[in-house]
């Protein structure tokens, strides 16, 4: 098998206009606004998709086809009383949801969201500003995003420990267990594609797979793709691994004592993380986006597919126990990931 | 300009956070301050343009402090203050801090005087990761490998210490229940 190594793809980015501070600000505001809205719409989609898979109708009463359910939920979240339990550590309790939401959006700063565009000249004040597709184009983008998402788990951990509730502390303990289990698999599984491309930048990954479907890294790294998806599900607390807040076992885990918008912030963070993981999977393994024509529609479709896959698996699979998760991550997935990295290295050297 | 402001902001915040880590009687405050301090230190690397080291600092310490949290969770009630057996007085704290400061000044003054210059400056057009990798696998190869061996030794020791009854599952084995009971009685 001949493996092509890609180096020196710097020329790809050099013809783009200069990125200004104003452009980055606009980009940051667009990401915040759009992803928050998508997170709200995501809850509606999740309920509808799950309902159809279980032969139900889902939300139907508010608005046509239940579409205004999002607004009803929003009003409910915003107007609920913000309760802090009596024996809780007040400061940390109030801080924890902000950590989840903030780190989720900071992680989104380094992934490509929407195409590059220049604001037309006739727009007052901001006319002619170039808005980049990646708000902060670090040359170690993948590591930064994974690190930030890892830091996001401090949200559930602190929330569980601060709320003086047994379910909460079990949720926090499970957060630590889950983090220490999947983190190794995430890093090792994505290491093999990084070795092939020779870069940690999303732009380089995208350029390396620019030649159509046959150039996608999933064909060279199917094992890494599946491992990354499994670890990604653990990272976003999606169903086979939703130990932190599984209703049947620990009431609501780390979120037991939360109400109103603080509870909502956990969910905005979770949905933003789902979108981030989908974007990483689409860019690293499925060819990403192209700048010409409707190339951007393809990545939206890919991200949409991964989002749907998460809902599909939630409807189809039971969740695992914490000891099964640890067994899976440490005894099955990690050895496979290490073997995959070694084989990739041998194939590249020979 | 921005870098100077960011540097002094991060410095002040890091010192304050680590002071909280040392002084606080609440496990939750101490651990949270430690974690935030570690995240802020990665900010210094970003200011210096060493993105790769910054992210490595972030990932490594987020994981490490997370493991510390789990120990705190097992040993303490996180929502209450801890009763410390010995409470050192203000004088001890001041004298300790001052002697540490004097030591730092003594060792830092000669370095400051001979104009600090970078031994391994960033190459234009080459990523941080490549720069770090080249130095790590040429000049610092032996310390790097020795550190790897040390970690392996520590890992094997940890497994041996913790894994005396690893073939026995506490959740599935009925005999394990009796053992837990006898251990409780022994206390």
């Amino acid at each position: 098998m001949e493996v092509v190594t890609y180096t020196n793809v710097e020329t790809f980015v050099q013809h783009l206009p200069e990125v200004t501070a104003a452009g980055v600000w606009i980009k940051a505001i667009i990401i915040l606004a759009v992803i928050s809205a998508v997170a709200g719409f995501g809850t509606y989609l999740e309920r509808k998709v799950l309902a159809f898979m279980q032969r139900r109708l889902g939300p139907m009463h508010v608005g046509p086809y239940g579409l205004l359910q999002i607004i009803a939920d929003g009003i409910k979240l915003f107007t609920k009383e913000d309760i802090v339990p009596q024996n809780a550590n007040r400061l940390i309790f109030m801080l924890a949801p902000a950590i989840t939401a903030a780190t989720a959006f900071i992680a989104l700063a380094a992934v490509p969201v929407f195409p590059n565009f220049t604001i037309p000249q006739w727009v007052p004040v901001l006319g002619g500003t170039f808005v980049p597709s990646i708000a902060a184009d670090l040359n170690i983008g993948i590591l930064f995003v994974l690190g930030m998402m890892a830091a996001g788990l401090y949200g559930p951990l602190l929330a569980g420990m601060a709320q003086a509730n047994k379910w909460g502390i079990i949720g926090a303990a499970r957060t630590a267990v889950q983090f220490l289990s999947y983190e190794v698999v995430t890093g090792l599984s994505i290491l093999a594609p990084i070795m092939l491309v020779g870069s940690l930048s999303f732009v380089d990954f995208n350029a390396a797979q620019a030649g159509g479907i046959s150039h996608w890294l999933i064909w060279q790294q199917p094992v890494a793709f599946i491992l990354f998806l499994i670890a990604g599900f653990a990272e976003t607390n999606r169903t086979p691994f939703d130990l932190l807040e599984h209703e049947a076992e620990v009431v609501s885990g780390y979120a037991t004592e939360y109400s109103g918008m603080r509870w909502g912030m956990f969910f905005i963070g979770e949905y933003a993380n789902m979108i981030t993981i989908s974007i990483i999977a689409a860019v690293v393994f499925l060819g990403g986006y192209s700048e010409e024509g409707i190339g951007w529609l393809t990545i939206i479709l890919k991200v949409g597919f991964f989002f749907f896959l998460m809902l599909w698996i939630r409807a189809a699979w039971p969740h695992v126990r914490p000891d099964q998760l640890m067994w899976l991550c440490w005894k099955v997935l990690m050895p496979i990931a290490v073997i995959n990295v070694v084989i990739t290295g041998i194939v590249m050297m020979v | 300009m921005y870098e100077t402001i960011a540097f002094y902001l991060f410095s002040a915040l890091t010192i304050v956070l680590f002071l909280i880590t040392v002084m606080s009687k609440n496990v939750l405050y101490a651990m949270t301050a430690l974690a935030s301090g570690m995240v802020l230190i990665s900010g210094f690397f970003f200011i210096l343009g060493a993105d790769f080291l910054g992210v490595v600092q972030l990932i490594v310490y987020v994981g490490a402090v997370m493991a510390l949290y789990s120990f705190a969770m097992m040993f303490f009630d996180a929502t209450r203050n801890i009763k410390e057996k010995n409470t050192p007085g203000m004088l001890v704290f001041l004298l300790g801090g001052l002697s540490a400061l004097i030591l730092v000044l003594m060792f830092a003054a000669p370095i400051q005087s001979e104009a600090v210059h970078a031994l391994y400056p960033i190459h234009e057009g080459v990523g941080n990761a490549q720069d770090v990798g080249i130095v790590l696998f040429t000049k610092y190869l032996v310390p790097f490998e020795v550190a790897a061996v040390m970690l392996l030794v520590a890992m094997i020791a940890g497994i041996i210490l913790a894994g005396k009854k690893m073939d026995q599952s506490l959740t599935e084995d009925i005999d394990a229940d009796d053992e837990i009971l006898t251990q409780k009685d022994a206390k």
Side-chain angles (χ1 to χ4, degrees):
Chain A
M1 186 175 125
E2 193 198 347
V3 178
V4 193
T5 50
Y6 310 91
T7 50
N8 216 351
V9 271
E10 307 275 328
T11 47
F12 182 75
V13 281
Q14 262 156 23
H15 63 271
L16 292 173
E18 199 189 346
V19 177
T20 56
V24 175
W25 272 99
I26 295 169
K27 185 71 195 179
I29 293 166
I30 290 177
I31 291 178
L32 259 178
V34 174
I35 301 291
S36 307
V38 168
F41 192 63
T43 57
Y44 172 77
L45 275 182
E46 173 155 15
R47 290 164 78 173
K48 273 291 182 198
V49 170
L50 282 182
F52 285 136
M53 286 183 179
Q54 296 159 351
R55 295 192 159 191
R56 294 184 288 118
L57 285 173
M60 287 297 283
H61 289 289
V62 193
Y65 218 65
L67 260 175
L68 296 181
Q69 184 69 39
I70 315 160
I71 297 171
D73 284 345
I75 293 170
K76 185 182 119 186
L77 282 180
F78 272 109
T79 53
K80 255 190 171 179
E81 188 189 349
D82 182 23
I83 300 168
V84 180
Q86 201 171 23
N87 289 323
N89 187 326
R90 203 179 165 79
L91 176 69
I92 307 278
F93 183 84
M94 292 169 79
L95 198 69
I99 294 177
T100 306
T103 50
F105 283 107
I106 294 172
L108 273 168
V111 296
V113 194
F114 315 117
N116 293 315
F117 67 92
T118 309
I119 295 175
Q121 292 293 344
W122 49 265
V123 177
V125 187
L126 293 172
T129 312
F130 171 71
V131 180
S133 82
I134 305 177
D137 188 9
L138 303 169
N139 59 2
I140 37 115
I142 291 178
L143 275 186
F144 179 80
V145 172
L146 291 179
M148 255 315 151
M149 289 180 70
L153 275 189
Y154 276 119
L157 185 80
L158 292 177
M161 286 180 78
Q163 64 185 235
N165 180 315
K166 293 280 188 294
W167 307 121
I169 201 99
I170 295 174
R174 287 179 169 203
T175 311
V177 161
Q178 183 158 332
F179 171 79
L180 296 175
S181 306
Y182 78 73
E183 190 61 12
V184 182
V185 183
T186 320
L188 283 176
S189 68
I190 212 159
L191 189 58
I194 288 172
M195 284 160 68
L196 284 182
V197 176
S199 167
L200 292 162
S201 160
F202 283 112
V203 178
D204 291 350
F205 265 93
N206 199 48
Q209 305 173 74
I213 292 182
S214 60
H215 286 70
W216 288 3
L217 274 178
I218 184 176
W219 310 127
Q220 289 181 30
Q221 290 290 342
V223 181
F225 174 68
I226 291 171
L227 290 178
F228 180 76
L229 264 195
I230 296 175
F233 273 69
E235 187 144 15
T236 49
N237 312 327
R238 294 307 296 178
T239 275
F241 312 113
D242 64 339
L243 315 169
L244 316 190
E245 39 163 348
H246 195 259
E247 294 89 354
E249 289 173 357
V250 287
V251 186
S252 195
Y254 67 89
T256 306
E257 297 280 6
Y258 279 89
S259 66
M261 210 45 220
R262 291 192 195 283
W263 185 84
M265 270 151 90
F266 277 125
F267 273 75
I268 290 175
E270 183 178 327
Y271 277 88
N273 274 338
M274 282 165 72
I275 292 167
T276 314
I277 281 285
S278 305
I279 294 176
I280 297 176
V283 174
V284 171
F285 292 101
L286 293 190
Y289 54 92
S290 69
E291 296 286 345
E292 299 94 34
I294 57 158
W296 269 90
L297 201 60
T298 56
I299 191 173
I300 291 176
L301 283 176
K302 288 166 196 166
V303 170
F305 168 74
F306 282 118
F307 198 85
F308 177 72
L309 188 73
M310 289 175 173
L311 308 185
W312 188 4
I313 289 183
R314 178 169 176 188
W317 282 60
H319 87 291
V320 300
R321 292 196 311 260
D323 61 316
Q324 288 170 328
L325 174 75
M326 283 187 274
W327 172 82
L328 183 73
C329 283
W330 285 109
K331 289 191 178 171
V332 182
L333 299 183
M334 196 192 74
I336 296 177
V338 172
I339 292 168
N340 187 41
V341 167
V342 171
I343 291 176
T344 309
I346 291 172
V347 172
M348 278 175 71
M349 294 298 286
V350 175
Chain B
M1 174 63 183
Y2 281 124
E3 284 172 358
T4 319
I5 296 173
F7 175 78
Y8 282 112
L9 184 71
F10 285 172
S11 313
L13 278 174
T14 313
I15 292 170
V16 168
L17 283 166
F18 284 151
L19 268 183
I20 294 173
T21 309
V22 179
M23 311 282 277
S24 172
K25 279 180 182 156
N26 189 315
V27 178
L28 210 47
Y29 284 139
M31 302 294 300
T32 313
L34 181 65
S36 347
M38 291 300 183
V39 171
L40 279 174
I41 284 180
S42 76
F44 290 116
F45 288 106
F46 282 110
I47 293 174
L48 288 171
D51 296 355
F52 180 72
L53 285 180
V55 171
V56 167
Q57 160 87 18
L58 193 71
I59 291 177
V60 168
Y61 281 100
V62 162
V65 178
M66 188 80 82
L68 266 183
Y69 262 111
S70 59
F71 285 110
M73 216 183 300
M74 282 185 268
F75 291 130
F76 304 108
D77 180 353
T79 52
R80 298 228 171 82
N81 285 352
I82 288 168
K83 288 194 193 97
E84 288 176 25
K85 266 186 189 155
N86 49 342
T87 45
M90 221 43 202
L91 189 65
V92 178
F93 173 72
L94 273 178
L95 287 179
L98 273 181
S99 45
L101 193 67
I102 288 168
L103 271 178
V104 169
L105 284 178
M106 272 166 64
F107 287 108
I111 302 171
Q112 180 61 38
S113 59
E114 56 183 71
V116 182
H117 57 98
L119 279 177
Y120 301 100
I122 297 169
H123 296 106
E124 284 300 321
V126 183
N128 270 187
Q130 282 91 329
D131 273 348
V132 173
I134 287 168
V135 178
L136 206 57
F137 283 100
T138 51
K139 189 176 177 188
Y140 296 109
L141 180 65
V142 176
F144 181 65
E145 295 294 337
V146 170
V149 171
M150 269 176 66
L151 285 176
L152 185 69
V153 169
M155 193 174 76
I156 293 172
I159 290 172
I160 289 175
L161 282 178
K164 270 175 191 156
K165 287 180 179 142
M166 248 186 181
D167 48 340
Q168 218 174 324
S169 167
L170 285 175
T171 47
E172 285 162 13
D173 196 352
I174 304 164
D175 296 340
D177 288 344
D178 299 334
E179 184 150 338
I180 292 170
L181 283 178
T182 49
Q183 278 184 3
K184 267 188 183 168
D185 292 340
K187 277 180 192 170

